[in-house]
Amino acid sequence: MPSYAIDGVTPVVHPSSHVHPTAVLIGDVIVGPGCYIGPCASLRADFGRIVLQAGVNVQDSCVIHGFPDSETIVETNGHIGHGAVLHGCVVRHDALVGMNAVVMDEAEVGAYSIVAACAFVRAGLKLPEKSLIAGLPAKVLRTLSEDEIRWKLQGTQTYQDLTLRCQASLVEVQPLAEEEAHRPRLQVQGPKTLVASKRDKS
């Protein structure tokens, strides 16, 4: 993994975490146990500190940064979707920030909340627990159901399992020239999409 010290401050990655080789960590980054950091993620702590607590996933192409002397914190079981941007904010435990969402400086996403894909959480906004948050600018739409909170946790646990799978079997290879006969399928246990889950109950 490309990892860079700056001004004598070196990133810290717990050995039980997985950081993809194309992700970049710079400076005052602290990655706790059991985390997953996906391809092309950029955690650039050359101004302020970045802290990922236990079991966090930061998916492909996410950007995490902050102003000087700031702290960007993702608490335990935080779930940061593909392409999201976090800047000097706090994502409380068990919360999810959706794909391509942006959470700005000094904003706070409450525990167990879900920030919808492409939402823009403005600077300084304090969002409550167990809420569905969406829009430009983002606002609270409603309280999440217990089923939705369980669904989010299942998704996070799937990424925690992915950390273990990557440690056990992820290797760089040359691609095959053609599909082999009887190509195996990945046997991955995890939640269905929220749309499919609701459809199955109707």
Side-chain angles (χ1 to χ4, degrees):
M1 110 194 71
S3 182
Y4 303 91
I6 189 168
D7 297 337
V9 181
T10 301
V12 176
V13 178
H14 193 277
S16 65
S17 289
H18 170 76
V19 181
H20 190 272
T22 62
V24 178
L25 278 57
I26 299 173
D28 195 7
V29 178
I30 302 169
V31 178
C35 293
Y36 172 88
I37 300 176
C40 300
S42 174
L43 282 65
R44 185 162 66 85
D46 46 12
F47 291 163
R49 176 170 289 179
I50 295 169
V51 179
L52 307 183
Q53 295 182 1
V56 166
N57 69 80
V58 175
Q59 298 171 19
D60 321 53
S61 301
C62 290
V63 174
I64 304 180
H65 193 242
F67 277 98
D69 202 33
S70 67
E71 285 198 349
T72 306
I73 301 171
V74 183
E75 293 185 347
T76 301
N77 290 339
H79 190 114
I80 313 301
H82 315 289
V85 176
L86 306 182
H87 204 276
C89 58
V90 177
V91 178
R92 294 294 181 199
H93 68 87
D94 294 282
L96 180 152
V97 176
M99 293 180 276
N100 289 314
V102 176
V103 184
M104 291 298 293
D105 304 278
E106 299 186 37
E108 184 176 311
V109 177
Y112 303 102
S113 287
I114 294 177
V115 176
C118 298
F120 178 80
V121 178
R122 63 175 172 78
L125 185 62
K126 309 299 184 191
L127 293 161
E129 294 186 356
K130 299 183 178 181
S131 299
L132 177 61
I133 298 143
L136 295 165
K139 61 182 180 180
V140 176
L141 299 186
R142 60 175 173 82
T143 301
L144 291 171
S145 69
E146 291 303 315
D147 281 346
E148 289 168 325
I149 292 170
R150 274 193 297 272
W151 173 84
K152 181 272 165 195
L153 180 57
Q154 289 172 348
T156 301
Q157 289 168 339
T158 300
Y159 268 92
Q160 292 166 350
D161 290 343
L162 179 58
T163 295
L164 301 176
R165 291 170 57 211
C166 287
Q167 290 178 334
S169 69
L170 184 71
V171 293
E172 187 172 2
V173 296
Q174 290 295 318
L176 303 174
E178 60 183 44
E179 181 181 347
E180 66 268 55
H182 310 296
R183 181 175 175 83
R185 296 292 296 252
L186 292 169
Q187 302 298 310
V188 179
Q189 300 298 314
K192 297 180 179 180
T193 68
L194 196 52
V195 172
S197 298
K198 289 179 177 178
R199 185 173 58 241
D200 289 347
K201 289 188 174 184
S202 61

